[in-house]
Structures are given as structure tokens and as C-alpha cells.
Amino acid sequence: MKAETASYGEFERLAMPLFDSLYNFARWLAEDATEAEDLVQETFKKALHGFASFVPDSDFRAWMFRILRNTFLTSRTGLRARLTVELDPEDEETTPVTWETPESLALASATREALQAALDGLPVVYREAVLLCDVEEMKYQEIAQVLSVPVGTVMSRIARGRKLLRQMLAGERSVRSGSAWK
Amino acid sequence: MTNCLTWQGRVASYVDAELPCPEMEAFRAHLATCPDCAATTLALMESKMAVRRAGNRYAAPPELRAKVLSLAKDEPAVARGAIGGDRARFRTIVPRYWTGWAIVTAALLLLAAGLFLAANRRQNAKAVAEFADLHVTALASANPVEVVSTDRHTVKPWFQGRIPFTFDLPDLQATPYTLVGGRVAYFHQEPGAHLIFGYQRHLISVFIFRDTPQVAMPASFFADNTSSFTLRTWTQQGLRYVILGDANAAAIANLMELLQRAR
């Protein structure tokens, strides 16, 4: 009984501080409050069940976010996103896209609402990479663990996502009709 | 020598703090001599901050937190191999022979307090990061201040009509500090004063905002060791003051005292 208490206590100590971040990320992925709540609950259930398989001293945050993302990918919304995915040639590009200052000014000076709308319009495959990097402040290696892709792909997705955001905010084009996971 | 084109390709890695230490130093040195790269870096830093603010969009409903916590009662657990054994019910978190209401209540109160503290720590860490970003982006800018003056009687009136409050600045004569100037800053869409002070070769930022829930920070001192900045914050006459810089903690504390005594 003491061991069970210790195990649960350890899980709670590690997992609950991530609760708000996981919910925020789930909402961005699912774009629906009810689905996001289901995702978070399912994530915690799976994590509880699988806690014994978690390797101590490894990255618990990446582990939890990976569970959440994998749960999303098997949800109805996630499956739909996966079925419509088309590989973007830039997705495998490892060289970061360079940063054009005039466009970036549009992003830096955008209102919070305009930026949120642009993030909404970003294909999920790029949105998740940008959010994990800029909002969750994860390292590239950590994001690679969450997304189960190489670090180079993480870098290119972040760069591509930021570029799309800049273009959307600069009014150059809308990527809402784009194909990558949207 | 690494040329500008090569550096441009590493701006994102620099802003994301992904460059190895020697390259970070080299990049910083390059920024000091290259306005183009400095402008590009500044733009990406500001964009990253904007995305961070916009990305923190959704707050979890309290009922969901309660549901997640209740999973403990309903879901079977697998105890860790080294310390545990077979599958068990999580309700055993409270030993059955101690099931007095007092103990349960105390445990729940402790849990709630722990969660509250954890949430507070996270919020505080984000606030520190945002102020550090404001400080760094201002210093990386070609024009760190909009009003350039060492005279407090010039800097203070400049903010009139630009921010919804006024504040006092100390007389810095016979102190090691100099006033460099000021600019308007925004924190969670709240306008405030960003003053820059010089101390030896360091530049120290002082942010002043109205003490609203949006600028929620602890009243006490804390330092952000992860980014090597020292930060102090306090409230005074309905205003929230935040001092941040890479000077030593004593220099930051002395400037804090001067500001607190300003009339």
C-alpha cells in the first residue's frame, strides 16, 4: 500500500503541473472544447496506466505531450487530419528558412486576435511544432520526442510554420485551404 | 570567419537558444557589428514573444481538473517495479485504516495547496521569461529607448499621455547609476513604462505597470537563474515594479531601494 501511494504521489507530482499546458495544447490541436477535455482525460488515463513504463530521469513532459498527441492522432479529428495530409517537400528540408524582416514585422506587430486566427489557420503539422517551440518553450530535441520525428524535421517545420504565419499576417495568401493536416 | 549569410541561417537557432555556447557568443559578437542581422534577430524575438502570448489562449475548466484528479479514485495503477508490486486501486492513496474525514480533508487541502503553488510557479516563470524577452529585445534594438535623456525631469513627463499612470524617479546624482532613457512597453496588452538604467557597463531594465491581475507576480524577490538575469519585483502605490538585468544582485537591490524612496 505504501508503494502504491508513492507511485501515485510521484505521478501526480510530475503530471499535474503540466495540466494547464496539456489542455491548452489539446485545444489548439482539437479546435473544440469538448474534444480537448476528452483528450486531456484520456491522456492522463493512459499515462496513469503506463507510468510503470516511464523511464525515471527521462523527459516526463515530452512523454506526456507525446501521449496527448498520439491520442489526438487516433481521435476522429486527428484521423481526418492524417487522411488529408500531403507530404510537403519542405517538411524534410533540414535547412531553416531564412527570416525576412518586412514580413516578420507584420507578425511582431499583429494583434493577439489576428495572431490567434493565423495560428488557427495554420495546418496542424506546423501549428503543433510552433506551439511546442514558442509557447511551451521546448528544445528541438524535446519536440522531436513529442512528434516522433528527427530534429532536422522539427527545425524545418518550425521554420515553415513561422514563415506561413508571417505570410498569412502579411496578407500574402491564406493557407486555410492548404493540405498539410488541415 | 563566418559570413553574414551563414549567420542569417542560424538566427532561429539563436533565438530558440539552440546554438552551442561558443556559437552563441560568436553570434552575439556578430550582432554587435551587423545591423541587418541584429534587425532580423530582433524581429524574430518579437515574433516569438507574440506567438507565446497568443498561444497561451485556453484555460482549462476547473471541472476538468477535478475530473482528472478523480481518475486517481477510479483508475487502477501500476506501481513502479522497484518500489511497488501488483496493480492496485488508486483510492489506496489514503490508507483505509486512516480513513478519518480529518485526514482526508487535510490531504485534499495539501493537494490543493500544492497544485496552487505549482500553477503559481509556472505562471511566475512565464512572467519572468516575458520580462526577460522585453529586456533583451529592447537592448538588441537599434533604438533601445524612445526618449533619450539622463534627466528624470525629461523622461518622466515624456510618458504623459502615453501610459495611464504616473510614477516618480529617483535623483541619481552621487549614485553609480545613470538614466539612459525610456520607452513604452506592453505586457499582456497593458501599456507601461520601460526605463533603462546604466550601471558600470551593464544596462538594467525597470518596468512599471499598473498592478492588475494581468501583471500577476509574487510580491517577493526572486531571480531567474536559468537566463542569468537577476529580477526583483514589488508593488508600490498601485504600481508593479520589475527590475531585471545582468548586473549583480546587490546592484539590482540598491537600484530597487532608490526607486522605492523616489519622491
Side-chain angles (χ1 to χ4, degrees):
Chain A
M1 187 177 296
K2 193 173 179 180
E4 292 149 10
T5 304
S7 180
Y8 172 71
E10 191 180 355
F11 175 79
E12 189 183 74
R13 182 181 64 78
L14 292 169
M16 287 314 290
L18 301 173
F19 173 79
D20 291 317
S21 295
L22 287 165
Y23 177 78
N24 187 54
F25 189 58
R27 275 295 299 269
W28 278 111
L29 289 183
E31 302 174 355
D32 176 82
T34 307
E35 194 175 339
E37 288 187 28
D38 290 345
L39 266 178
V40 172
Q41 283 196 76
E42 194 61 26
T43 298
F44 274 83
K45 274 185 192 175
K46 287 179 178 174
L48 275 167
H49 281 293
F51 190 48
S53 66
F54 173 71
V55 180
D57 300 325
S58 61
D59 192 333
F60 184 76
R61 181 169 70 150
W63 186 70
M64 287 293 286
F65 272 82
R66 189 168 69 237
I67 293 173
L68 187 140
R69 182 181 179 267
N70 288 343
T71 306
F72 166 71
L73 292 181
T74 55
S75 69
R76 189 176 295 178
T77 309
L79 283 171
R80 196 166 56 238
R82 288 170 77 184
L83 286 172
T84 54
V85 68
E86 281 179 21
L87 287 178
D88 188 324
E90 288 192 57
D91 200 32
E92 298 309 317
E93 182 186 296
T94 54
T95 306
V97 178
T98 52
W99 189 259
E100 303 87 351
T101 301
E103 276 181 348
S104 67
L105 290 177
L107 201 160
S109 61
T111 64
R112 190 180 184 129
E113 289 74 21
L115 195 43
Q116 285 170 346
L119 282 165
D120 271 333
L122 205 59
V124 175
V125 68
Y126 302 122
R127 190 194 310 155
E128 60 182 3
V130 170
L131 289 171
L132 290 174
C133 182
D134 290 352
V135 178
E136 296 307 324
E137 298 179 69
M138 287 186 183
K139 308 296 285 182
Y140 294 160
Q141 183 62 49
E142 198 176 6
I143 299 171
Q145 287 178 45
V146 175
L147 305 184
S148 304
V149 296
V151 169
T153 304
V154 168
M155 291 169 70
S156 92
R157 286 185 187 179
I158 292 169
R160 178 90 174 125
R162 286 170 173 166
K163 184 177 181 182
L164 288 171
L165 278 178
R166 296 197 300 274
Q167 290 174 338
M168 290 162 83
L169 288 164
E172 287 193 8
R173 67 184 177 115
S174 169
V175 293
R176 267 199 177 278
S177 57
S179 57
W181 290 35
K182 185 74 188 177
Chain B
M1 185 173 171
T2 311
N3 64 31
C4 212
L5 196 62
T6 307
W7 285 126
Q8 286 279 338
R10 296 183 193 170
V11 169
S13 297
Y14 173 77
V15 170
D16 292 333
E18 294 279 355
L19 285 181
C21 270
E23 278 188 53
M24 289 289 264
E25 291 303 321
F27 193 93
R28 281 195 195 106
H30 176 70
L31 287 183
T33 60
C34 177
D36 287 345
C37 283
T40 303
T41 305
L42 175 64
L44 183 50
M45 279 179 165
E46 288 181 337
S47 301
K48 189 176 168 74
M49 278 173 55
V51 170
R52 183 190 303 162
R53 284 193 296 271
N56 274 309
R57 182 181 190 178
Y58 302 108
E63 314 86 75
L64 179 63
R65 183 183 291 273
K67 277 183 194 171
V68 167
L69 283 168
S70 75
L71 291 174
K73 294 176 186 168
D74 304 328
E75 292 296 317
V78 180
R80 300 297 280 269
I83 52 175
D86 300 327
R87 293 165 72 88
R89 301 296 292 179
F90 268 115
R91 62 170 62 95
T92 56
I93 186 172
V94 178
R96 288 190 177 121
Y97 49 86
W98 281 2
T99 50
W101 281 110
I103 292 170
V104 174
T105 306
L108 287 173
L109 284 172
L110 280 173
L111 177 62
L115 291 174
F116 177 75
L117 287 173
N120 259 1
R121 271 199 298 274
R122 184 170 168 275
Q123 188 178 3
N124 293 341
K126 286 201 168 184
V128 170
E130 286 188 36
F131 278 114
D133 283 346
L134 284 172
H135 173 72
V136 171
T137 50
L139 298 193
S141 165
N143 302 303
V145 288
E146 293 170 79
V147 52
V148 185
S149 175
T150 56
D151 182 1
R152 59 181 173 147
H153 299 300
T154 301
V155 172
K156 182 182 165 183
W158 182 85
F159 282 99
Q160 282 178 8
R162 291 183 166 90
I163 56 173
F165 58 87
T166 186
F167 54 88
D168 292 314
L169 285 174
D171 181 1
L172 297 176
Q173 283 188 352
T175 75
Y177 304 95
T178 53
L179 180 59
V180 176
R183 62 190 285 167
V184 175
Y186 288 86
F187 186 80
H188 293 190
Q189 296 174 313
E190 174 80 12
H194 180 181
L195 304 159
I196 298 182
F197 291 86
Y199 172 75
Q200 294 174 350
R201 297 183 68 182
H202 302 276
L203 290 174
I204 302 171
S205 283
V206 174
F207 299 96
I208 310 174
F209 289 90
R210 287 187 298 185
D211 190 29
T212 61
Q214 287 92 330
V215 196
M217 292 185 80
S220 59
F221 152 83
F222 62 94
D224 177 27
N225 293 322
T226 56
S227 57
S228 303
F229 288 123
T230 298
L231 182 147
R232 284 204 163 197
T233 179
W234 75 96
T235 56
Q236 186 172 321
Q237 296 176 324
L239 299 177
R240 162 70 62 181
Y241 287 71
V242 177
I243 304 186
L244 183 131
D246 61 351
N248 63 60
I252 299 280
N254 290 338
L255 181 57
M256 181 177 95
E257 283 178 23
L258 287 169
L259 285 159
Q260 286 174 331
R261 290 202 302 265
R263 289 289 179 273

